[in-house]
Amino acid sequence: MTAKISRRALVRLLGIASASLTMPGLGEAITQSESKNSGASVTPRHFSSGFLWGSAAASYQVEGAVNEDGRGQSIWDTFSHTQGKVNNGDTGDVSVDFFHRYQADIQLMKELGLKSFRFSISWSRIFPTGRGTPNPQGLNFYNKMVDALLEAGIQPYCTLYHWDLPQPLQDKGGWSNADTSKAFADYAGYTAGKLSDKIQNFMTINEMRTVAEQGYSLGVHAPGLHLDTKSLAQLNHYLVLGHGLAVQSIRAQAHRGTKVGIADNINATVPVIETPEHIAAAHKAMREENAMYLTVVEEGRYTELYLKRLGANAPHFTAEELKVISSPMDYVGLNIYQPTYVRADGTEAGYSVIQPPSSYPHMYSPWLTVGPEAIYWGPKLVAEIWKVKTLYITENGASSADQIAADGHVYDTDRVMYLRNYLTQLQRAVAEGVPVKGYFLWSLLDNFEWADGYEKRFGITYVDFATQKRIPKESAAYYKQVIRENRVL
Ligand code: FCB
């Protein structure tokens, strides 16, 4: 049977945000009364003053220049050059050539009014073989680029691992090998030690779940492996261990005042209907669905249910490792794109995850289901459950089948729709006092979208990859205005 969804149900699923689009005034009235109740100082649709509007990118997706200045090979070089792995045979060899064009792109950021830029460092530029002797030229690019950001009044937020593991470390097992966790901590500490005079904010690993699931289980990302359940559970443990060791090593080597966090794509659990029982279910689900990532990082233990579900496949770990894994952070970054709807039930877990019907709306990327409430419930639950004091949305954005119109403009109305609805829900959280301090839109420029190659565009700026011409889209005009007015438009 084909699942059907009525328009009314769709509005309910998409939440108040959509309702306020079709019924002017309603969203505002609700936000206003929530603000009044919580006593928060933000006015309707506004964000708190000093809210950090930014954009995000990652080294392999934008830099190009893969053979310059002594850079070593990463697993994404290997993977993208393996036939059949990436759509259309695309690679990150050139991408948007950010390595050479960063100055002009930083001007674009300035023009938009961006207050921050989240980028990642290519480990293979700093340590071409992953460990050992650093490449003196490696830091040069990031030093220059960060100087240009600072000159433009844009705060740098630096991710240390956004998936481009040095190939020599993969040759020794990659994240399946505990030595990789140690090598990561060494590289992270060294790099933060060198750059923390200019960069105050570091993030360890981007999206541990994607690293494990896409790279080592489904095999659709580098290194393209298919580990069994037990090996994968152990690998997950080494990922969080790598994160914890890196937090400690950054603290040991960086300047005082350096802030350390993570950029994690939690399963953002959303109550299917906002009733007390389903909200309680979303709470439980947040801990259990993220048990091997943010939960263990925050709590320093694996949940009983997680270990029970794995049984004989549970990872080996020590009490000392759990302590390292839960080393205190200064903030938590959340990458939130889609919702995980849950409902209350009578199972041991007290909830179940609802799989979306085939008719569920999504953006150009089929995985990117539209559920703006994810960006309300995600940060709200994380703040409540783990008493997190500072949160950022380290990624949110949408793919679109962008076309250049006859007048030369790109009218990405679907991306604007997506952003407007998600920002409405984010503002709802901020208005209630959820401590989200900033938002990094993915992404400033179209870029290499991993296994999808260049076909799925996520930029608010269109890139003609043949000429490297940049064309700000309608969504760039939208975001610029949001930033200028510090409110949802
Ligand atoms: C996230 C990744 C980022 C980008 C966006 C669309 O999962 O962290 O690199 O690919 O998705």
Side-chain angles (χ1 to χ4, degrees):
M1 205 180 87
T2 318
K4 286 222 172 103
I5 192 161
S6 71
R7 274 181 72 179
R8 197 182 304 161
L10 183 64
V11 167
R12 199 180 55 208
L13 274 172
L14 293 178
I16 287 160
S18 322
S20 71
L21 286 178
T22 45
M23 289 173 266
L26 178 61
E28 210 159 281
I30 289 168
T31 317
Q32 224 159 7
S33 72
E34 277 171 355
S35 295
K36 219 181 284 159
N37 290 342
S38 70
S41 60
V42 285
T43 48
R45 300 185 80 74
H46 277 85
F47 286 81
S48 36
S49 72
F51 193 80
L52 202 69
W53 296 104
S55 75
S59 43
Y60 190 71
Q61 292 182 278
V62 299
E63 284 178 4
V66 291
N67 294 317
E68 282 183 54
D69 289 352
R71 176 187 180 277
Q73 193 175 333
S74 86
I75 55 174
W76 269 96
D77 297 301
T78 311
F79 192 74
S80 65
H81 282 272
T82 307
Q83 214 196 343
K85 298 296 184 193
V86 174
N87 180 41
N88 194 37
D90 292 340
T91 73
D93 287 1
V94 177
S95 187
V96 298
D97 197 25
F98 185 70
F99 190 83
H100 298 112
R101 292 168 196 266
Y102 68 89
Q103 280 166 320
D105 289 335
I106 289 172
Q107 282 315 302
L108 264 178
M109 296 180 204
K110 198 174 168 184
E111 163 67 18
L112 280 173
L114 292 191
K115 302 188 183 331
S116 56
F117 178 53
R118 176 178 169 238
F119 64 95
S120 81
I121 289 189
S122 154
W123 183 345
S124 308
R125 288 196 194 280
I126 312 293
F127 290 96
T129 59
R131 60 195 330 164
T133 316
N135 164 31
Q137 289 171 288
L139 285 170
N140 196 22
F141 166 67
Y142 299 104
N143 261 312
K144 284 187 307 188
M145 198 269 287
V146 169
D147 283 343
L149 285 173
L150 294 173
E151 205 174 300
I154 298 169
Q155 289 186 45
Y157 275 65
C158 174
T159 314
L160 289 154
Y161 185 72
H162 202 126
W163 309 353
D164 41 358
L165 187 74
Q167 182 62 44
L169 295 183
Q170 185 53 47
D171 296 341
K172 298 204 166 109
W175 287 105
S176 295
N177 183 343
D179 273 351
T180 295
S181 313
K182 295 194 192 101
F184 175 58
D186 291 345
Y187 143 73
Y190 172 82
T191 306
K194 293 286 181 198
L195 292 175
S196 58
D197 53 337
K198 296 178 180 167
I199 303 175
Q200 211 198 353
N201 287 279
F202 288 89
M203 281 146 282
T204 54
I205 302 181
N206 180 74
E207 300 196 355
M208 296 180 287
R209 187 188 300 271
T210 312
V211 172
E213 286 181 0
Q214 311 289 312
Y216 289 85
S217 173
L218 299 171
V220 293
H221 278 189
L225 300 179
H226 301 274
L227 299 187
D228 60 25
T229 308
K230 191 174 174 58
S231 312
L232 198 67
Q234 196 60 49
L235 177 142
N236 279 328
H237 181 68
Y238 294 147
L239 277 168
V240 285
L241 183 61
H243 154 80
L245 288 169
V247 170
Q248 298 196 344
S249 142
I250 294 167
R251 294 230 189 274
Q253 296 181 65
H255 288 245
R256 279 182 68 177
T258 300
K259 296 196 163 40
V260 190
I262 192 167
D264 194 39
N265 60 327
I266 48 163
N267 275 356
T269 57
V270 175
V272 62
I273 307 171
E274 294 189 7
T275 57
E277 46 161 349
H278 292 309
I279 292 172
H283 257 261
K284 291 177 194 153
M286 175 61 81
R287 283 189 70 242
E288 294 301 344
E289 295 301 303
N290 298 293
M292 63 294 228
Y293 304 119
L294 197 56
T295 305
V296 68
V297 164
E298 287 292 338
E299 299 183 13
R301 66 192 166 116
Y302 289 113
T303 67
E304 275 170 35
L305 194 62
Y306 171 70
L307 295 176
K308 187 172 161 188
R309 278 174 175 168
L310 279 173
N313 292 323
H316 296 291
F317 56 89
T318 65
E320 185 51 37
E321 285 171 348
L322 292 179
K323 249 200 230 159
V324 170
I325 289 167
S326 56
S327 303
M329 295 186 284
D330 298 295
Y331 60 88
V332 171
L334 301 174
N335 293 3
I336 297 185
Y337 289 89
Q338 349 116 250
T340 298
Y341 287 111
V342 302
R343 64 183 174 86
D345 70 9
T347 59
E348 185 187 6
Y351 72 88
S352 45
V353 170
I354 305 173
Q355 294 311 319
S358 61
S359 56
Y360 195 92
H362 62 78
M363 302 304 293
Y364 193 35
S365 311
W367 60 266
L368 216 178
T369 49
V370 181
E373 326 86 277
I375 211 167
Y376 167 77
W377 286 104
K380 181 181 165 74
L381 293 175
V382 167
E384 277 176 17
I385 295 170
W386 294 299
K387 312 282 173 269
V388 175
K389 298 275 183 312
T390 305
L391 289 161
Y392 292 99
I393 300 301
T394 34
E395 280 182 36
N396 170 247
S399 50
S400 168
D402 296 315
Q403 295 283 343
I404 302 178
D407 64 2
H409 197 63
V410 178
Y411 295 97
D412 54 340
T413 50
D414 52 351
R415 184 175 288 106
V416 174
M417 174 281 294
Y418 178 99
L419 293 174
R420 182 188 293 126
N421 280 278
Y422 275 70
L423 290 179
T424 298
Q425 290 290 325
L426 182 61
Q427 194 277 341
R428 178 185 170 205
V430 171
E432 283 182 20
V434 178
V436 179
K437 305 297 183 198
Y439 170 90
F440 296 85
L441 197 161
W442 187 276
S443 188
L444 175 73
L445 305 169
D446 294 334
N447 59 59
F448 177 78
E449 180 48 26
W450 308 115
D452 290 330
Y454 294 99
E455 197 215 348
K456 297 285 189 289
R457 293 171 179 268
F458 273 83
I460 56 173
T461 309
Y462 185 93
V463 178
D464 177 337
F465 294 108
T467 62
Q468 292 294 347
K469 190 173 173 213
R470 275 70 165 147
I471 306 171
K473 306 176 192 174
E474 194 62 24
S475 54
Y478 171 76
Y479 196 42
K480 182 175 178 171
Q481 202 63 21
V482 166
I483 296 173
R484 182 179 293 161
E485 299 192 22
N486 199 32
R487 68 184 183 105
V488 187
L489 291 163

